[in-house]
Amino acid sequence: MFSKACEYGLRAIIYIAQQSAQEVKVSLVHISEAINSPQAFTAKVLQQLTRNNIIKSIKGPYGGFVIENDKMKSIKLSDVVKVLDGDTIYTGCGLGLSECNENSPCPLHFKFVEIRSKLRSMLETTTLKTLVEDMDTEHFFLKR
């Protein structure tokens, strides 16, 4: 459902949020290792998130990526998805057809409408703060 960039972006931002909650700045190398993603690709994703003021990049030997605690309360997963994938996840066809709507539906159209609605609701109501607070790091993984 999500592009590879969005998958890596969501995993990266969750990892950065976990570390930021402990007041730790994380480097690109650590993020790539923690989420099992290619470093160059992760750098491009993090650059987009930085440009859109979702994460903060601090330069220098003691720098890294961080999310301010107050900002974690307002950043929703939907913000990350919008930056990296736009809104096609809410409007696109479940089978990838270029034309799929109420008047000209694909075989999955009406079932997919319900799934997209639930997905939108989850993404728009889940903040980084609540996700990090509710996550038991011993039972949840960002890579396999």
Side-chain angles (χ1 to χ4, degrees):
M1 291 187 83
F2 298 116
S3 69
K4 201 49 116 171
C6 192
E7 288 175 8
Y8 287 143
L10 287 167
R11 289 177 8 204
I13 199 161
I14 292 168
Y15 179 73
I16 295 167
Q18 287 174 324
Q19 298 304 305
S20 294
Q22 299 171 29
E23 299 183 15
V24 175
K25 294 177 215 125
V26 286
S27 70
L28 171 62
V29 172
H30 284 113
I31 295 167
S32 292
E33 288 174 4
I35 66 170
N36 196 27
S37 65
Q39 202 170 336
F41 193 69
T42 305
K44 290 180 182 182
V45 170
L46 295 176
Q47 186 178 49
Q48 283 183 276
L49 295 174
T50 301
R51 283 186 183 148
N52 284 275
N53 298 315
I54 293 182
I55 60 176
K56 188 175 183 180
S57 173
I58 300 169
K59 307 273 187 225
Y62 300 104
F65 293 93
V66 67
I67 304 169
E68 296 159 350
N69 198 30
D70 285 347
K71 199 157 189 166
M72 274 198 265
K73 295 175 188 175
S74 64
I75 297 172
K76 297 177 181 77
L77 295 181
S78 61
D79 298 328
V80 178
V81 172
K82 185 176 182 181
V83 165
L84 299 173
D85 274 0
D87 67 350
T88 56
I89 195 162
Y90 307 126
T91 59
C93 173
L95 294 177
L97 301 177
S98 60
E99 187 176 324
C100 177
N101 55 47
E102 301 270 326
N103 299 326
S104 183
C106 76
L108 296 178
H109 179 78
F110 296 104
K111 292 183 183 290
F112 206 66
V113 167
E114 184 180 331
I115 292 167
R116 281 194 311 236
S117 174
K118 288 179 181 178
L119 179 63
R120 179 184 288 240
S121 176
M122 184 273 298
L123 293 172
E124 289 180 351
T125 60
T126 305
T127 66
L128 286 178
K129 185 79 170 167
T130 55
L131 190 63
V132 169
E133 287 175 348
D134 294 347
M135 196 175 355
D136 179 351
T137 55
E138 292 183 24
H139 292 89
F140 292 101
F141 301 93
L142 294 172
K143 72 175 183 178
R144 284 281 176 175

